[in-house]
Amino acid sequence: MLQIKSFTFNPFAENTYVLYDDTLEAVIIDPGCYDKDEKAELFDFIKINQLTPVKLLNTHCHIDHVLGNTFVINTYDIPLWFHQGEEPVLRAVSTYASNYGFPQYQESHANHYIKEGEPVQFGNTSLKPILVPGHAPGHLVFYHAPSKLCIGGDTLFQGSIGRTDLPGGDHDTLLDAIKTKLFALPEDVTVYPGHGPATTIGHEKVNNPFVGQRTGY
Ligand SMILES: [Zn+2]
Ligand SMILES: [Zn+2]
């Protein structure tokens, strides 16, 4: 059975997720840990639960989602996977990290570019990556149909959507991708977003002020 643990890290209040199953193999998704206490919180959870991280995944590569990449890579010696469309997004981070107040940021590099639909496996679990661009050009969400769970990154939030005013962002692209890709998932799928509380596809389909039925779409 798939288990999920969430952390909220860094001044952007970014949600970091650890997914693991009965084999105790795990993936770490979007580690936003930056200071010593945040890194210790992630490290201690993995240690106490005797997990073996096998992959580091980024939904997308904005600074708040990649601050802990190098810590995770150095600590667990695991490969970094994300979509190729995020390569320029990740490369840009080191040019603005200091200005954003993160002078200790250390660059990381992909070991593998995930293609949409390519199974992302750990333990007995297989996640399905779905490309949902618009907030960022190569933004993936990770869907696990058997447990009706989707790691949504900064695509769909409870009552909101990802901002589209950053480089590589496009509002219409995001609206279209949410409606055609995310809203195609079953309504009882829980979305665990990059910021704020979890929600469901069904709830947002009706109530979301940007893409919900009440907006007239
Ligand atoms: Zn973002
Ligand atoms: Zn974010």
Side-chain angles (χ1 to χ4, degrees), residues 120-192:
V120 175
Q121 289 170 328
F122 63 98
N124 297 322
T125 303
S126 181
L127 303 175
K128 180 184 175 189
I130 302 170
L131 186 64
V132 184
H135 171 73
H139 194 305
L140 294 171
V141 306
F142 296 100
Y143 176 49
H144 188 246
S147 47
K148 297 189 176 289
L149 166 160
C150 183
I151 304 298
D154 292 356
T155 58
L156 182 67
F157 300 127
Q158 185 189 87
S160 190
I161 60 172
R163 57 189 288 186
T164 51
D165 57 333
L166 299 167
D170 184 80
H171 189 68
D172 290 342
T173 300
L174 180 60
L175 295 184
D176 186 62
I178 290 172
K179 284 184 271 178
T180 59
K181 300 267 190 75
L182 290 183
F183 285 179
L185 301 177
E187 301 204 338
D188 55 351
V189 167
T190 299
V191 178
Y192 292 89

Side-chain angles (χ1 to χ4, degrees), residues 59-65 135-136 139 153-154 157 163 166 195:
T59 59
H60 68 300
C61 294
H62 286 148
I63 188 166
D64 47 327
H65 297 252
H135 171 73
H139 194 305
D154 292 356
F157 300 127
R163 57 189 288 186
L166 299 167
H195 304 269

